[in-house]
Amino acid sequence: MRALQAAAPWGADNLKVAELPDPTPGAGQVLVRMKTVSLNFRDLLMINGMYGRGSTDTKDVITPFSDGCGIVEAIGPGVNRVAVGDRVASLFFQNWTSGRPTLEKLSSALGFPIPGAGRELAVFSQEGVSKVPDFLTDQQVATLPCAALTAWRGLFEDADLEPGDTVVLQGTGGVSIFGLQFAKAAGYRTIITSSSDEKLERARALGADHLINYKTTPEWGRAVREIAPDGADFIMEVGGGGTIQQSLRAVRIGGHIAVIGVVAGAGDINPAVLIGNSARLQGLSVGSREMFEAMCRAIELHRISPVVDKVFPWTEAKTAFAAMAAGEHFGKIVLEF
């Protein structure tokens, strides 16, 4: 079987397709023939040697991608959660089935430190895969494990929101577009930001109530306050340090800021502002299998269709990563096997 691999010298141009022996599932494991995988910003960091121990001073070989869809081709002894022929999604954290996150659970992420889904045949723990809604395509299923679950957890597991509350989604990448779709299904008022008017109009077509171009309105926190004078109840913070000050200006007293990304780079946080508005600032790293399965039930009930913007053959991963780095996408980028 073939697999995508990255190693020093890092970078998308150095991604390789390697020939490897076909794997065999052991006790409690399943063999999955991968159909699709989707890209996350984490994968871009990973192949550039900027993620965890996968840095420029390591000799590790990485098989990227946490998010995939495939068909169970074989099972090992003791497997009872899935059967041969089932369509499943790979789960971001292989050992986080339920409960609170722990170091052990968060150390079981696909891509790093565990080889990821970017291979034709992959062996996973039966605990690290889940069946998915039948109405979704393979491309759509591949978008669920990280981006969708991150948005779901932020809105429904960690925050205490009610219908009619105001939520701000930063940008039009995978997490924010899922956040928009989930928020609309829950009856929240939605504000979405982007540097592209074209992408904002696409967000409007998905149901966004208010649009802010942060390129023409860099003080977008004030613009949020014009829409919601008391401030936003919830903000999906994907920029990190580079945008957190605007989020702190935009959030209401006692509001919730879910910090899920660092695409805008590092920056400083003024504790006095955080204290002054009694806001909750919470880091968020995907979620558990229990959360994933609850999310899938909601997706099926509301017939929510993930937004797949670009699809490439998996051997053209370099081109896909270039599109992600350039910010060309609206929603998700997917690779097909």
Side-chain angles (χ1 to χ4, degrees):
M1 67 118 180
R2 295 174 297 169
L4 285 168
Q5 291 189 336
W10 303 97
D13 289 340
N14 293 314
L15 269 175
K16 293 181 173 59
V17 177
E19 291 282 350
L20 301 175
D22 288 358
T24 302
Q29 295 181 326
V30 298
L31 177 68
V32 178
R33 182 167 294 279
M34 302 307 301
K35 296 294 187 182
T36 51
V37 293
S38 73
L39 277 65
N40 294 299
F41 187 70
R42 169 182 182 261
D43 298 306
L44 185 61
L45 295 177
M46 196 177 296
I47 65 164
N48 284 322
M50 300 168 62
Y51 185 86
R53 290 187 293 110
S55 59
T56 52
D57 61 354
T58 184
K59 296 181 180 179
D60 290 329
V61 175
I62 291 173
T63 297
F65 305 114
S66 56
D67 296 17
C69 172
I71 304 297
V72 176
E73 195 158 282
I75 60 175
V79 170
N80 53 24
R81 291 195 66 250
V82 295
V84 172
D86 284 346
R87 187 174 67 149
V88 297
S90 56
L91 299 180
F92 189 97
F93 291 115
Q94 291 288 284
N95 295 338
W96 188 4
T97 57
S98 62
R100 300 174 63 181
T102 65
L103 179 59
E104 180 183 6
K105 293 172 182 177
L106 299 186
S107 297
S108 65
L110 285 180
F112 192 86
I114 298 173
R119 41 189 166 151
E120 292 174 314
L121 290 168
V123 168
F124 303 111
S125 165
Q126 70 163 336
E127 307 298 338
V129 297
S130 184
K131 289 186 258 190
V132 290
D134 290 338
F135 81 96
L136 297 179
T137 68
D138 292 346
Q139 295 176 4
Q140 292 171 330
V141 168
T143 69
L144 301 180
C146 180
L149 186 54
T150 297
W152 175 269
R153 178 183 164 192
L155 286 165
F156 304 116
E157 299 285 345
D158 295 343
D160 183 17
L161 299 173
E162 297 179 354
D165 281 352
T166 299
V167 303
V168 176
L169 298 316
Q170 289 183 1
T172 52
V175 176
S176 294
I177 294 301
F178 272 117
L180 171 61
Q181 293 177 291
F182 291 154
K184 292 306 296 181
Y188 305 152
R189 178 169 62 165
T190 54
I191 302 172
I192 196 160
T193 71
S194 175
S195 61
S196 164
D197 287 337
E198 178 186 359
K199 290 181 178 180
L200 287 173
E201 287 304 318
R202 292 179 68 180
R204 189 198 301 276
L206 285 175
D209 296 305
H210 300 277
L211 316 173
I212 299 174
N213 186 317
Y214 63 78
K215 188 173 183 179
T216 57
T217 309
E219 295 289 323
W220 57 264
R222 293 182 180 177
V224 169
R225 288 281 181 163
E226 291 175 3
I227 297 165
D230 291 334
D233 300 282
F234 175 91
I235 297 176
M236 191 76 75
E237 174 57 66
V238 304
T243 54
I244 193 67
Q245 292 300 335
Q246 290 301 314
S247 290
L248 288 170
R249 292 189 182 103
V251 72
R252 68 164 171 81
I253 293 175
H256 187 109
I257 302 174
V259 183
I260 63 97
V262 291
V263 297
D268 296 321
I269 296 176
N270 184 348
V273 176
L274 193 60
I275 294 169
N277 64 9
S278 300
R280 181 179 184 184
L281 190 67
Q282 180 170 344
L284 192 167
S285 181
V286 199
S288 67
R289 190 183 78 205
E290 184 177 69
M291 296 177 197
F292 181 88
E293 292 175 348
M295 175 190 74
C296 284
R297 290 193 295 271
I299 286 173
E300 190 153 31
L301 176 66
H302 293 284
R303 283 298 195 263
I304 295 172
S305 294
V307 178
V308 176
D309 189 48
K310 298 179 185 297
V311 180
F312 300 89
W314 74 284
T315 51
E316 295 181 17
K318 297 177 186 178
T319 305
F321 276 116
M324 169 169 273
E328 296 175 1
H329 57 297
F330 178 94
K332 295 294 291 181
I333 299 172
V334 169
L335 303 180
E336 282 192 322
F337 287 84

